[in-house]
Amino acid sequence: MSRTAAPLSALLFDVDGTLAETEEIHRLAFLDAFAEEGLDWDWNVDLYRALLKTTGGKERIRRFLDETGVDRAAFPDHRVARLHARKTEFYGRRIAAGRVSLRPGVERLLREARDRGLRLAIVTTTARPNVAALLEATLPGEGAGLFETMVCGDEVAAKKPAPDAYREALARLALPPAAGLAFEDSMNGLAAARAAGLATIVTPGVYTAHETFADAAEILPDLAAFDLAAWM
Ligand code: XBP
Ligand code: MG
């Protein structure tokens, strides 16, 4: 598909599931943090897939507490925040250990976009240290520098599927939605980008393959199948 409304100026990338299959590493990092606290919460793959409908790690923990009837007086928000901070540290260690790579076509697309003079942005619900760790592990010394701006985690009032993070990125870029193209892997991410007015390419990942993406401009197995020239 190509576009005619406005010249394409910027590509806006989700992180988890889109740049790399990180969600399983997030799950293991949650388990690390739970084990350290002596919590026997069994966040297995099936449960985590269901919990992923809630974006944001702190929000996901709170949803779990509510659904399992844990007394919130015994687990107030500051304890959730501390647990999540430890999860972020464990995630960074796991990523630095080097067992993650970018999804097919991601690095080629980033370089082609730069060569064509496009501006690049990150728009994610994950915490900023996680993005830094991932980019340093996968594109050492240059990853973070490829992106003009990064909207991460708690930097907006409402996480995806709310449009806040995409709107904030467009505001920082000083661009209308018609000048941008978003890349997502999930229904929550697609809803956020579309609500901000962005055409969106979806590459479903291991945790989102079962979802439906009716509002996507294209649904592709991965970004190796994406033709940037057709969008210019
Ligand atoms: C991913 C998320 C995040 C991660 C965990 O969304 O929902 O919450 O699972 O990250 P996206 P934190 O693909 O939009 O980045 O624990 O740092 O929240
Ligand atoms: Mg994602």
Side-chain angles (χ1 to χ4, degrees):
M1 181 196 268
S2 64
R3 43 192 292 127
T4 52
L8 183 62
S9 299
L11 306 185
L12 297 88
F13 289 89
D14 170 50
V15 174
D16 297 304
T18 299
L19 295 186
E21 288 286 11
T22 48
E23 214 49 80
E24 185 59 9
I25 304 169
H26 281 292
R27 187 180 73 85
L28 294 173
F30 279 111
L31 291 178
D32 292 338
F34 300 163
E36 185 180 63
E37 282 284 303
L39 300 164
D40 64 349
W41 301 346
D42 178 22
W43 282 26
N44 57 51
V45 168
D46 287 340
L47 174 60
Y48 195 67
R49 187 177 294 112
L51 290 173
L52 273 178
K53 291 198 179 67
T54 301
T55 60
K58 291 188 290 294
E59 293 82 352
R60 193 167 299 144
I61 292 170
R62 284 199 290 267
R63 173 183 155 190
F64 174 78
L65 293 174
D66 292 343
E67 286 184 349
T68 49
V70 174
D71 181 6
R72 287 301 301 280
F75 229 103
D77 280 352
H78 67 81
R79 195 168 170 204
V80 171
R82 205 172 59 229
L83 186 62
H84 184 256
R86 289 297 291 153
K87 176 262 171 178
T88 300
E89 286 179 35
F90 284 118
Y91 178 86
R93 281 187 216 169
R94 284 182 175 275
I95 291 289
R99 283 187 288 274
V100 69
S101 50
L102 296 174
R103 287 188 66 184
V106 169
E107 183 172 350
R108 174 199 62 82
L109 175 57
L110 294 175
R111 296 194 191 290
E112 184 183 349
R114 289 285 297 237
D115 290 346
R116 290 177 179 273
L118 294 176
R119 301 162 72 192
L120 302 177
I122 292 279
V123 184
T124 179
T125 67
T126 204
R128 185 173 280 262
N130 297 344
V131 182
L134 178 69
L135 292 175
E136 189 50 36
T138 54
L139 296 167
E142 63 167 332
L146 293 173
F147 296 92
E148 185 174 329
T149 191
M150 300 190 194
V151 182
C152 305
D154 296 328
E155 293 168 28
V156 289
K159 293 179 179 167
K160 301 173 189 176
D164 301 34
Y166 277 103
R167 286 189 180 144
E168 173 66 19
L170 289 169
R172 291 185 193 175
L173 295 167
L175 288 175
L181 182 60
F183 294 84
E184 279 285 354
D185 71 304
S186 69
M187 281 173 72
N188 276 330
L190 173 63
R194 294 295 296 135
L198 287 152
T200 307
I201 309 296
V202 176
T203 50
V206 290
Y207 268 104
T208 57
H210 63 290
E211 296 188 343
T212 51
F213 306 102
D215 212 13
E218 295 180 31
I219 306 169
L220 302 171
D222 55 48
L223 289 176
F226 177 68
D227 181 6
L228 179 59
W231 281 83
M232 299 297 292

